[in-house]
Amino acid sequence: MLRQTITIKDIARELNISVSTVSRALRDTFDVSPETKHLVLEKAKELKYKPNFNARGLSQGRTNNIGIILPFITNYYFSTVITGIQKIAYEFNYNIILYLTNDSEERESLIMRNLTLSGLDGILISTCASNYDHIHEVIDKGIPVVFFDRTNNLDASKVVQDDYNGAFEATAHLISQGFIDIAHITGPKDQRFTQNRLNGYLDALEHHGIPIREKWIIHNGFSQECGADDLKKLMAETSKPDAIFAVNDRKAIGAMVQLKRQNIQIGRDFGVVGFTNDPICTLITPTLTTVSESAFDIGRIACELLLKHIQKENLASTEEILPGELIIRESSMRSTSD
């Protein structure tokens, strides 16, 4: 004998209230009293009621699916962002569908243009693109889009790190340790967060009266290998830096590996600062000074913001900027034992 599925009609009958009141109470709307909400939730628990989200989605023109488009899942930062997204999505009974671009603009465009938009209520994206036509097309079709981490100047909601101030503090810290020939190994020029971190670095040098050397600013990829390659280029110059501020921890570690190969003492003779606060920062020797990013909160807030856009059409775009924190470790501290 098949077990009968409990519906909101059963809850309404048990409590002798209307089906619409039960529905609103389960959705936690403002027009139902706390007492009634409590009664409905307790009765739903007692009857082992399980909402049919597919049916609810169809009735509201929704699927309860959100798409996440991001460059990687293999590094600490993005995996932590996803954890933050999951917390909110699952709390509000949304499924997530993950799409990886492998940091390819072509791949990102292909993914966006081949999405089955009827199967998604909204999209969270960390873009690697320099041209945003493919994103415009999705937004123009009425699909809510929220950017996180890697963003652009489109009129859409965004959740980002305070890249400028983090970079300014990182560079100023190196200067405070007596490093004045500071290079910056960074990412592609067309990334907004890359530009913000570059501007923080440049303004810190200017603030302390240190001349800017264009040859010491290297745009490249974001990997550890790119960090090592950038360091090789810098040390091949006639005039060499005595410190590096890296756009992320992976590049900083790549530079540190290369410095060790050249028998350069990190910390005492050459300062290194990264950006992210990946757990590996405390596992390597010397430990890496970095600027922490609130990866979990970026994911959490981005998802909360997307759900607001899904619930309310024509909601004004907003930008959330989360502060970072400079975490000082051995890689930037000059020895005082001399």
Side-chain angles (χ1 to χ4, degrees):
M1 182 177 179
L2 292 174
R3 182 178 178 181
Q4 182 182 0
T5 301
I6 300 298
T7 69
I8 60 173
K9 290 181 181 179
D10 298 312
I11 299 172
R13 184 173 57 252
E14 289 279 331
L15 295 174
N16 196 28
I17 59 177
S18 69
V19 172
S20 63
T21 299
V22 173
S23 176
R24 295 199 307 277
L26 291 171
R27 287 185 284 116
D28 195 25
T29 60
F30 70 92
D31 55 349
V32 179
S33 70
E35 294 80 8
T36 301
K37 287 179 185 177
H38 177 74
L39 287 172
V40 169
L41 292 174
E42 286 298 310
K43 183 58 67 173
K45 184 178 179 181
E46 176 190 329
L47 297 176
K48 295 182 172 58
Y49 166 73
K50 293 183 178 180
N52 185 339
F53 291 108
N54 289 331
R56 181 185 295 179
L58 288 171
S59 68
Q60 297 175 345
R62 297 188 187 133
T63 66
N64 285 88
N65 294 326
I66 57 175
I68 307 173
I69 300 174
L70 74 170
F72 306 105
I73 195 174
T74 52
N75 67 47
Y76 161 78
Y77 176 79
F78 284 117
S79 62
T80 307
V81 169
I82 290 173
T83 303
I85 292 171
Q86 280 182 321
K87 181 183 185 302
I88 301 303
Y90 294 166
E91 186 178 322
F92 287 88
N93 300 296
Y94 273 82
N95 303 307
I96 61 173
I97 303 172
L98 190 61
Y99 303 90
L100 299 179
T101 65
N102 293 323
D103 229 1
S104 163
E105 182 170 353
E106 182 181 357
R107 179 67 181 158
E108 178 180 305
S109 178
L110 190 65
I111 288 170
M112 290 287 279
R113 290 194 161 111
N114 286 286
L115 285 175
T116 304
L117 297 179
S118 61
L120 296 174
D121 293 339
I123 295 171
L124 293 165
I125 181 170
S126 181
T127 182
C128 62
S130 56
N131 179 289
Y132 308 118
D133 289 346
H134 57 291
I135 303 175
H136 266 300
E137 291 173 13
V138 171
I139 293 174
D140 290 345
K141 289 176 181 175
I143 303 298
V145 175
V146 171
F147 292 86
F148 65 92
D149 187 54
R150 302 186 188 183
T151 67
N152 53 44
N153 294 319
L154 291 178
D155 182 19
S157 288
K158 306 171 180 73
V159 182
V160 296
Q161 187 73 29
D162 189 348
D163 296 302
Y164 173 86
N165 283 312
F168 188 100
E169 282 190 52
T171 308
H173 165 67
L174 286 168
I175 296 168
S176 75
Q177 291 298 304
F179 299 106
I180 57 172
D181 297 326
I182 305 168
H184 182 38
I185 54 175
T186 185
K189 293 180 180 180
D190 48 29
Q191 285 290 336
R192 187 183 179 204
F193 83 96
T194 295
Q195 191 60 52
N196 287 340
R197 291 179 193 180
L198 172 61
N199 289 339
Y201 157 81
L202 294 173
D203 286 354
L205 293 182
E206 184 178 355
H207 178 78
H208 289 88
I210 297 173
I212 295 164
R213 306 194 194 191
E214 294 295 334
K215 285 187 177 181
W216 287 357
I217 300 170
I218 298 182
H219 292 274
N220 198 355
F222 295 107
S223 69
Q224 181 173 321
E225 292 73 21
C226 290
D229 290 342
D230 294 350
L231 192 282
K232 289 178 190 176
K233 290 180 183 177
L234 288 168
M235 301 311 280
E237 294 285 338
T238 304
S239 179
K240 298 174 176 57
D242 64 1
I244 280 176
F245 164 52
V247 72
N248 64 18
D249 290 339
R250 283 171 290 152
K251 293 198 75 165
I253 291 167
M256 288 173 68
V257 169
Q258 191 60 35
L259 285 165
K260 288 182 178 182
R261 287 174 181 162
Q262 298 186 22
N263 295 316
I264 296 172
Q265 185 71 39
I266 300 168
R268 186 189 68 189
D269 299 327
F270 199 104
V272 181
V273 177
F275 207 117
T276 300
N277 197 29
D278 190 295
I280 199 173
C281 293
T282 60
L283 301 177
I284 59 171
T285 304
T287 53
L288 176 61
T289 296
T290 188
V291 179
S292 69
E293 292 190 86
S294 306
F296 181 87
D297 288 334
I298 285 175
R300 176 182 61 81
I301 294 169
C303 192
E304 288 174 344
L305 198 48
L306 180 64
L307 295 185
K308 288 179 182 178
H309 280 285
I310 291 170
Q311 294 290 333
K312 185 176 181 180
E313 291 184 17
N314 302 317
L315 184 69
S317 298
T318 184
E319 182 172 28
E320 299 279 349
I321 301 175
L322 278 64
E325 178 187 0
L326 179 67
I327 300 175
I328 300 171
R329 299 191 180 105
E330 297 165 346
S331 68
S332 63
M333 298 294 290
R334 280 195 146 145
S335 173
T336 57
S337 61
D338 294 341

